[in-house]
Amino acid sequence: MGFALDIQKLKKYFVIDRGYFKNKLTNKAVDDVSLAVRTGEFFGLVGESGCGKSTLANVLLRLIEPTSGRVTFDGDDLLSATGQRLKDIRRKMQVVFQDPYSSLNPRMSVLDIVGRGLDVHNLAASAEDRRDQVVHWLERVGLGAEILERYIHEFSGGQQQRIAIARALCIHPTFLILDEPTSALDVSIQAQICNLLKDIKSSLSITYLFISHNLAVVRYISDRIGVMYRGRMVEIGTKDEIFNFPRHPYTEALLSANLGIEANGKNRIILPGFVQSAVNLPKGCRFHPRCFRKQSDCEREEPVLAPAGPDHQVACLHPAMR
């Protein structure tokens, strides 16, 4: 299986100017991230708020430019693409945002919202063909032609997210970035959207990057999972490896806190201290001030991702033993 997306040493730093008489600060939102998403897989990206997940997604979408690094998408150098080449890449890589109401134009009808991509990429032969394609994708996500002339404020949150998914799928992408697509929805609606996404993946062979802080949802829907902490990947592995045999102490704590249950047979883990700001990171391992397994070398040496199994990587000097 090849890679749909290959990220190498990606960085996105934000410089904070505090005024003429003060030194500038650097927010290392995404710091030396390397990650490969395989063609056709459902890759989950997790971590607490502020860890850099959405910033990473915005760099991949070229909504913001990176500080450095390399990203290859379907064999193309994503970060150097401009003009028509970038437009062609964006047709293949689409996004569904967290809040559908803020990402869908309230002044446009559903027909125009979903059909906008067809207009931009000249994918409809006529107005009738455009309408037929829009209806097809609305039906594919569980809606129908009767809503074509309606507006976004007339729908529930779950219906709005289905419209957003139809808009993304209407131009036949091969890669879909889902940035917290279920976090604003009720639990029952979350399950419906997750089942819809899994059904679409199986029938259309789309590759997903699913960003979330909800581990229960990620566990249900993902094939492989990456865990981020303060701008860096700290663990990557299959769903079974991450949930049954977590090796990084942050992953163990995250599982314990998010699932509210005993993590891998251990008592619930309560981390001391607080999350460090990305503008004032500690030396050595950036997790060591809160780590329950830290040793003296953790304060001096910054760990890098290293193999911890056949399909498992961890960035820890003293990972848990299986």
Side-chain angles (χ1 to χ4, degrees), residues 4-11 30 33-37 56-57 59-62 64 66 68-81 85 89 93 175 177 209:
L5 185 72
D6 188 15
I7 305 169
Q8 295 295 327
K9 297 185 178 300
L10 189 66
K11 297 181 180 180
V30 175
V33 167
S34 294
L35 172 67
V37 180
L56 176 60
V59 171
L60 297 178
L61 293 164
R62 294 288 300 275
I64 56 176
S68 64
R70 180 179 175 84
V71 180
T72 304
F73 174 66
D74 277 353
D76 284 321
D77 185 348
L78 177 63
L79 302 183
S80 67
R85 183 161 155 254
I89 290 175
M93 180 188 288
F175 192 97
I177 295 177
L209 175 60

Side-chain angles (χ1 to χ4, degrees), residues 157-225:
Q159 290 172 321
Q160 290 173 3
Q161 200 62 290
R162 288 174 186 269
I163 293 168
I165 294 170
R167 178 182 65 174
L169 294 175
C170 197
I171 57 174
H172 307 281
T174 61
F175 192 97
L176 203 57
I177 295 177
L178 303 152
D179 190 2
E180 303 271 11
T182 62
S183 63
L185 307 177
D186 294 337
V187 174
S188 61
I189 306 301
Q190 287 183 15
Q192 293 176 19
I193 296 298
C194 287
N195 288 332
L196 172 64
L197 292 171
K198 291 184 74 171
D199 178 57
I200 290 170
K201 177 182 177 295
S202 62
S203 60
L204 300 179
S205 299
I206 291 179
T207 304
Y208 288 116
L209 175 60
F210 186 89
I211 299 170
S212 180
H213 62 268
N214 188 328
L215 284 179
V217 172
V218 171
R219 184 177 195 174
Y220 173 70
I221 206 167
S222 300
D223 300 314
R224 286 195 307 140
I225 297 170

Side-chain angles (χ1 to χ4, degrees), residues 173-302:
T174 61
F175 192 97
L176 203 57
I177 295 177
L178 303 152
D179 190 2
E180 303 271 11
T182 62
S183 63
L185 307 177
D186 294 337
V187 174
S188 61
I189 306 301
Q190 287 183 15
Q192 293 176 19
I193 296 298
C194 287
N195 288 332
L196 172 64
L197 292 171
K198 291 184 74 171
D199 178 57
I200 290 170
K201 177 182 177 295
S202 62
S203 60
L204 300 179
S205 299
I206 291 179
T207 304
Y208 288 116
L209 175 60
F210 186 89
I211 299 170
S212 180
H213 62 268
N214 188 328
L215 284 179
V217 172
V218 171
R219 184 177 195 174
Y220 173 70
I221 206 167
S222 300
D223 300 314
R224 286 195 307 140
I225 297 170
V227 182
M228 284 189 77
Y229 182 78
R230 294 291 85 190
R232 284 209 163 184
M233 300 300 304
V234 297
E235 190 162 7
I236 302 173
T238 64
K239 175 170 58 178
D240 290 340
E241 288 282 357
I242 294 296
F243 280 91
N244 296 328
F245 306 104
R247 305 292 299 276
H248 197 281
Y250 175 66
T251 307
E252 295 181 60
L254 197 64
L255 290 172
S256 172
N258 276 262
L259 298 180
I261 58 175
E262 291 188 353
N264 201 25
K266 300 178 182 179
N267 293 328
R268 185 169 182 179
I269 300 168
I270 306 297
L271 294 176
F274 55 90
V275 180
Q276 291 78 20
S277 167
V279 302
N280 189 27
L281 295 169
K283 293 182 179 180
C285 174
R286 58 193 62 191
F287 184 63
H288 86 259
R290 309 177 71 200
C291 184
F292 51 89
R293 284 207 303 269
K294 69 178 178 181
Q295 299 185 27
S296 59
D297 56 346
C298 299
E299 300 179 15
R300 302 186 303 270
E301 185 177 347
E302 189 164 21

